[in-house]
PDB file of all heavy atoms in Angstrom:
ATOM      1  N   VAL A 739     100.046  70.306  34.596  1.00 98.00           N
ATOM      2  CA  VAL A 739      99.433  71.154  35.601  1.00 98.00           C
ATOM      3  C   VAL A 739      97.966  70.697  35.771  1.00 98.00           C
ATOM      4  O   VAL A 739      97.248  70.604  34.783  1.00 98.00           O
ATOM      5  CB  VAL A 739      99.478  72.636  35.206  1.00 98.00           C
ATOM      6  CG1 VAL A 739      98.648  73.517  36.149  1.00 98.00           C
ATOM      7  CG2 VAL A 739     100.943  73.122  35.183  1.00 98.00           C
ATOM      8  N   GLU A 740      97.560  70.420  37.016  1.00 97.00           N
ATOM      9  CA  GLU A 740      96.242  69.877  37.273  1.00 97.00           C
ATOM     10  C   GLU A 740      95.458  70.812  38.193  1.00 97.00           C
ATOM     11  O   GLU A 740      95.976  71.222  39.242  1.00 97.00           O
ATOM     12  CB  GLU A 740      96.330  68.500  37.917  1.00 97.00           C
ATOM     13  CG  GLU A 740      97.080  67.466  37.061  1.00 97.00           C
ATOM     14  CD  GLU A 740      97.338  66.160  37.786  1.00 97.00           C
ATOM     15  OE1 GLU A 740      97.215  66.128  39.051  1.00 97.00           O
ATOM     16  OE2 GLU A 740      97.651  65.171  37.118  1.00 97.00           O
ATOM     17  N   ALA A 741      94.248  71.130  37.793  1.00 97.00           N
ATOM     18  CA  ALA A 741      93.330  71.852  38.698  1.00 97.00           C
ATOM     19  C   ALA A 741      92.880  70.872  39.799  1.00 97.00           C
ATOM     20  O   ALA A 741      92.546  69.731  39.506  1.00 97.00           O
ATOM     21  CB  ALA A 741      92.178  72.392  37.927  1.00 97.00           C
ATOM     22  N   VAL A 742      92.881  71.357  41.029  1.00 98.00           N
ATOM     23  CA  VAL A 742      92.488  70.507  42.158  1.00 98.00           C
ATOM     24  C   VAL A 742      91.170  71.063  42.755  1.00 98.00           C
ATOM     25  O   VAL A 742      91.160  72.169  43.303  1.00 98.00           O
ATOM     26  CB  VAL A 742      93.567  70.473  43.251  1.00 98.00           C
ATOM     27  CG1 VAL A 742      93.119  69.598  44.410  1.00 98.00           C
ATOM     28  CG2 VAL A 742      94.876  69.965  42.658  1.00 98.00           C
ATOM     29  N   ARG A 743      90.158  70.271  42.611  1.00 97.00           N
ATOM     30  CA  ARG A 743      88.833  70.625  43.152  1.00 97.00           C
ATOM     31  C   ARG A 743      88.506  69.672  44.280  1.00 97.00           C
ATOM     32  O   ARG A 743      88.633  68.458  44.151  1.00 97.00           O
ATOM     33  CB  ARG A 743      87.751  70.637  42.084  1.00 97.00           C
ATOM     34  CG  ARG A 743      87.926  71.760  41.046  1.00 97.00           C
ATOM     35  CD  ARG A 743      86.912  71.747  39.928  1.00 97.00           C
ATOM     36  NE  ARG A 743      87.019  72.916  39.108  1.00 97.00           N
ATOM     37  CZ  ARG A 743      87.919  73.068  38.134  1.00 97.00           C
ATOM     38  NH1 ARG A 743      88.784  72.056  37.856  1.00 97.00           N
ATOM     39  NH2 ARG A 743      87.977  74.193  37.428  1.00 97.00           N
ATOM     40  N   THR A 744      88.078  70.209  45.417  1.00 97.00           N
ATOM     41  CA  THR A 744      87.848  69.374  46.578  1.00 97.00           C
ATOM     42  C   THR A 744      86.349  69.108  46.756  1.00 97.00           C
ATOM     43  O   THR A 744      85.517  69.937  46.436  1.00 97.00           O
ATOM     44  CB  THR A 744      88.404  70.085  47.853  1.00 97.00           C
ATOM     45  OG1 THR A 744      88.485  69.136  48.918  1.00 97.00           O
ATOM     46  CG2 THR A 744      87.572  71.283  48.268  1.00 97.00           C
ATOM     47  N   PRO A 745      86.013  67.906  47.231  1.00 97.00           N
ATOM     48  CA  PRO A 745      84.574  67.554  47.408  1.00 97.00           C
ATOM     49  C   PRO A 745      83.888  68.513  48.357  1.00 97.00           C
ATOM     50  O   PRO A 745      84.485  69.087  49.254  1.00 97.00           O
ATOM     51  CB  PRO A 745      84.677  66.153  48.014  1.00 97.00           C
ATOM     52  CG  PRO A 745      85.983  65.595  47.542  1.00 97.00           C
ATOM     53  CD  PRO A 745      86.903  66.795  47.545  1.00 97.00           C
ATOM     54  N   ARG A 746      82.623  68.622  48.166  1.00 95.00           N
ATOM     55  CA  ARG A 746      81.824  69.544  48.946  1.00 95.00           C
ATOM     56  C   ARG A 746      81.501  68.933  50.312  1.00 95.00           C
ATOM     57  O   ARG A 746      81.154  67.758  50.423  1.00 95.00           O
ATOM     58  CB  ARG A 746      80.507  69.880  48.243  1.00 95.00           C
ATOM     59  CG  ARG A 746      79.680  70.919  48.969  1.00 95.00           C
ATOM     60  CD  ARG A 746      78.546  71.455  48.105  1.00 95.00           C
ATOM     61  NE  ARG A 746      77.766  72.434  48.837  1.00 95.00           N
ATOM     62  CZ  ARG A 746      78.130  73.691  48.961  1.00 95.00           C
ATOM     63  NH1 ARG A 746      79.228  74.121  48.419  1.00 95.00           N
ATOM     64  NH2 ARG A 746      77.390  74.541  49.663  1.00 95.00           N
ATOM     65  N   THR A 747      81.625  69.744  51.360  1.00 97.00           N
ATOM     66  CA  THR A 747      81.160  69.444  52.696  1.00 97.00           C
ATOM     67  C   THR A 747      80.168  70.503  53.115  1.00 97.00           C
ATOM     68  O   THR A 747      79.788  71.340  52.275  1.00 97.00           O
ATOM     69  CB  THR A 747      82.339  69.385  53.691  1.00 97.00           C
ATOM     70  OG1 THR A 747      82.868  70.724  53.853  1.00 97.00           O
ATOM     71  CG2 THR A 747      83.445  68.451  53.212  1.00 97.00           C
ATOM     72  N   VAL A 748      79.776  70.550  54.364  1.00 95.00           N
ATOM     73  CA  VAL A 748      78.877  71.591  54.840  1.00 95.00           C
ATOM     74  C   VAL A 748      79.448  72.975  54.583  1.00 95.00           C
ATOM     75  O   VAL A 748      78.692  73.889  54.219  1.00 95.00           O
ATOM     76  CB  VAL A 748      78.579  71.400  56.342  1.00 95.00           C
ATOM     77  CG1 VAL A 748      77.892  72.623  56.932  1.00 95.00           C
ATOM     78  CG2 VAL A 748      77.692  70.152  56.550  1.00 95.00           C
ATOM     79  N   ASP A 749      80.763  73.124  54.759  1.00 95.00           N
ATOM     80  CA  ASP A 749      81.298  74.479  54.748  1.00 95.00           C
ATOM     81  C   ASP A 749      82.558  74.604  53.877  1.00 95.00           C
ATOM     82  O   ASP A 749      83.299  75.570  53.959  1.00 95.00           O
ATOM     83  CB  ASP A 749      81.620  74.964  56.161  1.00 95.00           C
ATOM     84  CG  ASP A 749      82.489  74.014  56.947  1.00 95.00           C
ATOM     85  OD1 ASP A 749      83.051  73.063  56.331  1.00 95.00           O
ATOM     86  OD2 ASP A 749      82.598  74.167  58.164  1.00 95.00           O
ATOM     87  N   THR A 750      82.842  73.643  53.022  1.00 95.00           N
ATOM     88  CA  THR A 750      83.950  73.749  52.093  1.00 95.00           C
ATOM     89  C   THR A 750      83.551  73.125  50.746  1.00 95.00           C
ATOM     90  O   THR A 750      82.542  72.439  50.639  1.00 95.00           O
ATOM     91  CB  THR A 750      85.205  73.020  52.607  1.00 95.00           C
ATOM     92  OG1 THR A 750      84.861  71.625  52.772  1.00 95.00           O
ATOM     93  CG2 THR A 750      85.737  73.597  53.864  1.00 95.00           C
ATOM     94  N   GLY A 751      84.385  73.351  49.730  1.00 94.00           N
ATOM     95  CA  GLY A 751      84.154  72.741  48.453  1.00 94.00           C
ATOM     96  C   GLY A 751      84.549  73.655  47.320  1.00 94.00           C
ATOM     97  O   GLY A 751      84.398  74.876  47.405  1.00 94.00           O
ATOM     98  N   GLY A 752      85.104  73.102  46.228  1.00 95.00           N
ATOM     99  CA  GLY A 752      85.440  73.883  45.092  1.00 95.00           C
ATOM    100  C   GLY A 752      86.917  73.844  44.736  1.00 95.00           C
ATOM    101  O   GLY A 752      87.639  72.938  45.127  1.00 95.00           O
ATOM    102  N   LEU A 753      87.338  74.848  43.997  1.00 96.00           N
ATOM    103  CA  LEU A 753      88.713  74.898  43.503  1.00 96.00           C
ATOM    104  C   LEU A 753      89.685  75.284  44.616  1.00 96.00           C
ATOM    105  O   LEU A 753      89.584  76.352  45.170  1.00 96.00           O
ATOM    106  CB  LEU A 753      88.800  75.901  42.336  1.00 96.00           C
ATOM    107  CG  LEU A 753      90.154  76.068  41.676  1.00 96.00           C
ATOM    108  CD1 LEU A 753      90.551  74.753  40.978  1.00 96.00           C
ATOM    109  CD2 LEU A 753      90.140  77.230  40.735  1.00 96.00           C
ATOM    110  N   LEU A 754      90.639  74.384  44.914  1.00 96.00           N
ATOM    111  CA  LEU A 754      91.695  74.700  45.841  1.00 96.00           C
ATOM    112  C   LEU A 754      92.853  75.476  45.165  1.00 96.00           C
ATOM    113  O   LEU A 754      93.444  76.338  45.782  1.00 96.00           O
ATOM    114  CB  LEU A 754      92.250  73.395  46.431  1.00 96.00           C
ATOM    115  CG  LEU A 754      91.479  72.721  47.539  1.00 96.00           C
ATOM    116  CD1 LEU A 754      92.153  71.432  47.923  1.00 96.00           C
ATOM    117  CD2 LEU A 754      91.355  73.614  48.756  1.00 96.00           C
ATOM    118  N   GLY A 755      93.170  75.093  43.962  1.00 97.00           N
ATOM    119  CA  GLY A 755      94.277  75.704  43.260  1.00 97.00           C
ATOM    120  C   GLY A 755      94.831  74.710  42.226  1.00 97.00           C
ATOM    121  O   GLY A 755      94.058  73.858  41.709  1.00 97.00           O
ATOM    122  N   TYR A 756      96.155  74.758  41.988  1.00 97.00           N
ATOM    123  CA  TYR A 756      96.724  73.963  40.912  1.00 97.00           C
ATOM    124  C   TYR A 756      98.003  73.267  41.438  1.00 97.00           C
ATOM    125  O   TYR A 756      98.738  73.839  42.254  1.00 97.00           O
ATOM    126  CB  TYR A 756      97.066  74.846  39.718  1.00 97.00           C
ATOM    127  CG  TYR A 756      95.845  75.427  39.072  1.00 97.00           C
ATOM    128  CD1 TYR A 756      95.209  76.578  39.618  1.00 97.00           C
ATOM    129  CD2 TYR A 756      95.254  74.837  37.983  1.00 97.00           C
ATOM    130  CE1 TYR A 756      94.084  77.091  39.079  1.00 97.00           C
ATOM    131  CE2 TYR A 756      94.084  75.337  37.414  1.00 97.00           C
ATOM    132  CZ  TYR A 756      93.516  76.480  37.968  1.00 97.00           C
ATOM    133  OH  TYR A 756      92.317  76.983  37.403  1.00 97.00           O
ATOM    134  N   ARG A 757      98.218  72.056  40.971  1.00 97.00           N
ATOM    135  CA  ARG A 757      99.441  71.324  41.345  1.00 97.00           C
ATOM    136  C   ARG A 757     100.196  70.950  40.060  1.00 97.00           C
ATOM    137  O   ARG A 757      99.607  70.789  38.971  1.00 97.00           O
ATOM    138  CB  ARG A 757      99.101  70.061  42.149  1.00 97.00           C
ATOM    139  CG  ARG A 757      98.323  69.041  41.359  1.00 97.00           C
ATOM    140  CD  ARG A 757      97.785  67.927  42.241  1.00 97.00           C
ATOM    141  NE  ARG A 757      96.915  67.008  41.507  1.00 97.00           N
ATOM    142  CZ  ARG A 757      95.876  66.347  42.002  1.00 97.00           C
ATOM    143  NH1 ARG A 757      95.583  66.462  43.298  1.00 97.00           N
ATOM    144  NH2 ARG A 757      95.136  65.584  41.253  1.00 97.00           N
ATOM    145  N   THR A 758     101.508  70.789  40.228  1.00 97.00           N
ATOM    146  CA  THR A 758     102.346  70.381  39.109  1.00 97.00           C
ATOM    147  C   THR A 758     102.918  68.988  39.405  1.00 97.00           C
ATOM    148  O   THR A 758     103.491  68.781  40.450  1.00 97.00           O
ATOM    149  CB  THR A 758     103.508  71.374  38.938  1.00 97.00           C
ATOM    150  OG1 THR A 758     102.979  72.705  38.798  1.00 97.00           O
ATOM    151  CG2 THR A 758     104.332  71.056  37.682  1.00 97.00           C
ATOM    152  N   ARG A 759     102.721  68.081  38.467  1.00 98.00           N
ATOM    153  CA  ARG A 759     103.199  66.730  38.618  1.00 98.00           C
ATOM    154  C   ARG A 759     103.996  66.335  37.348  1.00 98.00           C
ATOM    155  O   ARG A 759     103.779  66.860  36.268  1.00 98.00           O
ATOM    156  CB  ARG A 759     102.009  65.771  38.860  1.00 98.00           C
ATOM    157  CG  ARG A 759     101.418  65.903  40.225  1.00 98.00           C
ATOM    158  CD  ARG A 759     100.251  64.989  40.435  1.00 98.00           C
ATOM    159  NE  ARG A 759      99.896  64.926  41.864  1.00 98.00           N
ATOM    160  CZ  ARG A 759      98.863  64.213  42.339  1.00 98.00           C
ATOM    161  NH1 ARG A 759      98.112  63.507  41.497  1.00 98.00           N
ATOM    162  NH2 ARG A 759      98.596  64.214  43.625  1.00 98.00           N
ATOM    163  N   VAL A 760     104.843  65.304  37.594  1.00 98.00           N
ATOM    164  CA  VAL A 760     105.665  64.836  36.471  1.00 98.00           C
ATOM    165  C   VAL A 760     105.697  63.322  36.471  1.00 98.00           C
ATOM    166  O   VAL A 760     106.008  62.687  37.492  1.00 98.00           O
ATOM    167  CB  VAL A 760     107.139  65.361  36.623  1.00 98.00           C
ATOM    168  CG1 VAL A 760     107.968  64.938  35.418  1.00 98.00           C
ATOM    169  CG2 VAL A 760     107.187  66.865  36.818  1.00 98.00           C
ATOM    170  N   GLY A 761     105.397  62.727  35.314  1.00 97.00           N
ATOM    171  CA  GLY A 761     105.580  61.302  35.092  1.00 97.00           C
ATOM    172  C   GLY A 761     104.521  60.431  35.650  1.00 97.00           C
ATOM    173  O   GLY A 761     103.613  60.828  36.405  1.00 97.00           O
ATOM    174  N   SER A 762     104.646  59.113  35.295  1.00 97.00           N
ATOM    175  CA  SER A 762     103.760  58.079  35.755  1.00 97.00           C
ATOM    176  C   SER A 762     104.559  56.818  35.875  1.00 97.00           C
ATOM    177  O   SER A 762     105.174  56.355  34.923  1.00 97.00           O
ATOM    178  CB  SER A 762     102.593  57.856  34.751  1.00 97.00           C
ATOM    179  OG  SER A 762     101.733  56.831  35.169  1.00 97.00           O
ATOM    180  N   PHE A 763     104.629  56.256  37.122  1.00 97.00           N
ATOM    181  CA  PHE A 763     105.545  55.181  37.397  1.00 97.00           C
ATOM    182  C   PHE A 763     104.852  54.023  38.103  1.00 97.00           C
ATOM    183  O   PHE A 763     103.883  54.218  38.813  1.00 97.00           O
ATOM    184  CB  PHE A 763     106.683  55.704  38.293  1.00 97.00           C
ATOM    185  CG  PHE A 763     107.351  56.939  37.750  1.00 97.00           C
ATOM    186  CD1 PHE A 763     106.955  58.215  38.194  1.00 97.00           C
ATOM    187  CD2 PHE A 763     108.346  56.877  36.784  1.00 97.00           C
ATOM    188  CE1 PHE A 763     107.528  59.352  37.703  1.00 97.00           C
ATOM    189  CE2 PHE A 763     108.929  57.999  36.279  1.00 97.00           C
ATOM    190  CZ  PHE A 763     108.537  59.244  36.749  1.00 97.00           C
ATOM    191  N   THR A 764     105.446  52.843  37.960  1.00 96.00           N
ATOM    192  CA  THR A 764     104.847  51.659  38.578  1.00 96.00           C
ATOM    193  C   THR A 764     105.133  51.596  40.054  1.00 96.00           C
ATOM    194  O   THR A 764     104.257  51.189  40.853  1.00 96.00           O
ATOM    195  CB  THR A 764     105.434  50.353  37.898  1.00 96.00           C
ATOM    196  OG1 THR A 764     105.180  50.416  36.500  1.00 96.00           O
ATOM    197  CG2 THR A 764     104.777  49.114  38.490  1.00 96.00           C
ATOM    198  N   THR A 765     106.298  52.030  40.479  1.00 95.00           N
ATOM    199  CA  THR A 765     106.649  52.069  41.922  1.00 95.00           C
ATOM    200  C   THR A 765     107.246  53.405  42.275  1.00 95.00           C
ATOM    201  O   THR A 765     107.637  54.167  41.415  1.00 95.00           O
ATOM    202  CB  THR A 765     107.671  50.959  42.246  1.00 95.00           C
ATOM    203  OG1 THR A 765     108.931  51.290  41.622  1.00 95.00           O
ATOM    204  CG2 THR A 765     107.196  49.567  41.746  1.00 95.00           C
ATOM    205  N   SER A 766     107.316  53.652  43.545  1.00 94.00           N
ATOM    206  CA  SER A 766     107.920  54.916  44.024  1.00 94.00           C
ATOM    207  C   SER A 766     109.391  54.933  43.679  1.00 94.00           C
ATOM    208  O   SER A 766     109.938  56.009  43.368  1.00 94.00           O
ATOM    209  CB  SER A 766     107.724  55.089  45.532  1.00 94.00           C
ATOM    210  OG  SER A 766     108.283  54.005  46.227  1.00 94.00           O
ATOM    211  N   ALA A 767     110.049  53.800  43.718  1.00 95.00           N
ATOM    212  CA  ALA A 767     111.468  53.750  43.378  1.00 95.00           C
ATOM    213  C   ALA A 767     111.718  54.148  41.924  1.00 95.00           C
ATOM    214  O   ALA A 767     112.725  54.752  41.603  1.00 95.00           O
ATOM    215  CB  ALA A 767     112.037  52.351  43.664  1.00 95.00           C
ATOM    216  N   ASP A 768     110.756  53.801  41.074  1.00 95.00           N
ATOM    217  CA  ASP A 768     110.907  54.141  39.650  1.00 95.00           C
ATOM    218  C   ASP A 768     110.913  55.637  39.419  1.00 95.00           C
ATOM    219  O   ASP A 768     111.386  56.103  38.358  1.00 95.00           O
ATOM    220  CB  ASP A 768     109.746  53.485  38.827  1.00 95.00           C
ATOM    221  CG  ASP A 768     109.858  51.976  38.799  1.00 95.00           C
ATOM    222  OD1 ASP A 768     110.941  51.450  39.031  1.00 95.00           O
ATOM    223  OD2 ASP A 768     108.804  51.331  38.575  1.00 95.00           O
ATOM    224  N   ALA A 769     110.332  56.391  40.348  1.00 95.00           N
ATOM    225  CA  ALA A 769     110.261  57.848  40.213  1.00 95.00           C
ATOM    226  C   ALA A 769     111.555  58.567  40.677  1.00 95.00           C
ATOM    227  O   ALA A 769     111.642  59.773  40.521  1.00 95.00           O
ATOM    228  CB  ALA A 769     109.089  58.380  41.024  1.00 95.00           C
ATOM    229  N   ALA A 770     112.525  57.796  41.210  1.00 93.00           N
ATOM    230  CA  ALA A 770     113.678  58.439  41.837  1.00 93.00           C
ATOM    231  C   ALA A 770     114.479  59.321  40.875  1.00 93.00           C
ATOM    232  O   ALA A 770     114.908  60.403  41.203  1.00 93.00           O
ATOM    233  CB  ALA A 770     114.597  57.349  42.427  1.00 93.00           C
ATOM    234  N   ALA A 771     114.718  58.813  39.647  1.00 94.00           N
ATOM    235  CA  ALA A 771     115.509  59.603  38.717  1.00 94.00           C
ATOM    236  C   ALA A 771     114.826  60.902  38.323  1.00 94.00           C
ATOM    237  O   ALA A 771     115.462  61.954  38.262  1.00 94.00           O
ATOM    238  CB  ALA A 771     115.765  58.755  37.451  1.00 94.00           C
ATOM    239  N   THR A 772     113.512  60.828  38.092  1.00 96.00           N
ATOM    240  CA  THR A 772     112.772  62.055  37.755  1.00 96.00           C
ATOM    241  C   THR A 772     112.778  63.022  38.915  1.00 96.00           C
ATOM    242  O   THR A 772     112.935  64.245  38.750  1.00 96.00           O
ATOM    243  CB  THR A 772     111.314  61.706  37.373  1.00 96.00           C
ATOM    244  OG1 THR A 772     111.357  60.904  36.177  1.00 96.00           O
ATOM    245  CG2 THR A 772     110.485  62.947  37.122  1.00 96.00           C
ATOM    246  N   LEU A 773     112.612  62.503  40.133  1.00 95.00           N
ATOM    247  CA  LEU A 773     112.643  63.376  41.332  1.00 95.00           C
ATOM    248  C   LEU A 773     113.996  64.042  41.445  1.00 95.00           C
ATOM    249  O   LEU A 773     114.088  65.229  41.822  1.00 95.00           O
ATOM    250  CB  LEU A 773     112.337  62.533  42.593  1.00 95.00           C
ATOM    251  CG  LEU A 773     112.312  63.276  43.905  1.00 95.00           C
ATOM    252  CD1 LEU A 773     111.324  64.451  43.891  1.00 95.00           C
ATOM    253  CD2 LEU A 773     112.011  62.330  45.068  1.00 95.00           C
ATOM    254  N   ALA A 774     115.057  63.349  41.155  1.00 95.00           N
ATOM    255  CA  ALA A 774     116.397  63.935  41.225  1.00 95.00           C
ATOM    256  C   ALA A 774     116.547  65.081  40.221  1.00 95.00           C
ATOM    257  O   ALA A 774     117.146  66.109  40.507  1.00 95.00           O
ATOM    258  CB  ALA A 774     117.462  62.870  40.958  1.00 95.00           C
ATOM    259  N   THR A 775     115.952  64.927  39.039  1.00 95.00           N
ATOM    260  CA  THR A 775     116.007  65.978  38.031  1.00 95.00           C
ATOM    261  C   THR A 775     115.207  67.206  38.498  1.00 95.00           C
ATOM    262  O   THR A 775     115.621  68.349  38.287  1.00 95.00           O
ATOM    263  CB  THR A 775     115.431  65.459  36.696  1.00 95.00           C
ATOM    264  OG1 THR A 775     116.210  64.314  36.283  1.00 95.00           O
ATOM    265  CG2 THR A 775     115.545  66.523  35.610  1.00 95.00           C
ATOM    266  N   VAL A 776     114.054  66.971  39.094  1.00 95.00           N
ATOM    267  CA  VAL A 776     113.228  68.047  39.624  1.00 95.00           C
ATOM    268  C   VAL A 776     114.024  68.838  40.669  1.00 95.00           C
ATOM    269  O   VAL A 776     114.030  70.084  40.647  1.00 95.00           O
ATOM    270  CB  VAL A 776     111.930  67.480  40.248  1.00 95.00           C
ATOM    271  CG1 VAL A 776     111.204  68.541  41.072  1.00 95.00           C
ATOM    272  CG2 VAL A 776     111.006  66.963  39.150  1.00 95.00           C
ATOM    273  N   LYS A 777     114.706  68.128  41.582  1.00 94.00           N
ATOM    274  CA  LYS A 777     115.460  68.806  42.606  1.00 94.00           C
ATOM    275  C   LYS A 777     116.650  69.548  42.016  1.00 94.00           C
ATOM    276  O   LYS A 777     117.012  70.677  42.490  1.00 94.00           O
ATOM    277  CB  LYS A 777     115.883  67.822  43.677  1.00 94.00           C
ATOM    278  CG  LYS A 777     114.702  67.291  44.499  1.00 94.00           C
ATOM    279  CD  LYS A 777     115.179  66.340  45.587  1.00 94.00           C
ATOM    280  CE  LYS A 777     113.997  65.904  46.441  1.00 94.00           C
ATOM    281  NZ  LYS A 777     114.406  64.958  47.531  1.00 94.00           N
TER     282      LYS A 777
END
């Protein structure tokens, strides 16, 4: 789970919320099996 903070502009900036990610892969194709498990 990663906190997502966005860069400051004139009228925005700060914590957007949280995202959930899984794994670290060399190519998008390598992520296919993990994505299938997520679904």
Side-chain angles (χ1 to χ4, degrees):
V739 172
E740 300 172 344
V742 180
R743 292 178 173 81
T744 195
R746 185 169 180 81
T747 68
V748 167
D749 53 13
T750 59
L753 181 65
L754 280 177
Y756 295 81
R757 66 190 172 210
T758 306
R759 288 179 167 179
V760 184
S762 178
F763 309 95
T764 303
T765 69
S766 59
D768 293 338
T772 297
L773 180 58
T775 303
V776 167
K777 291 183 176 180

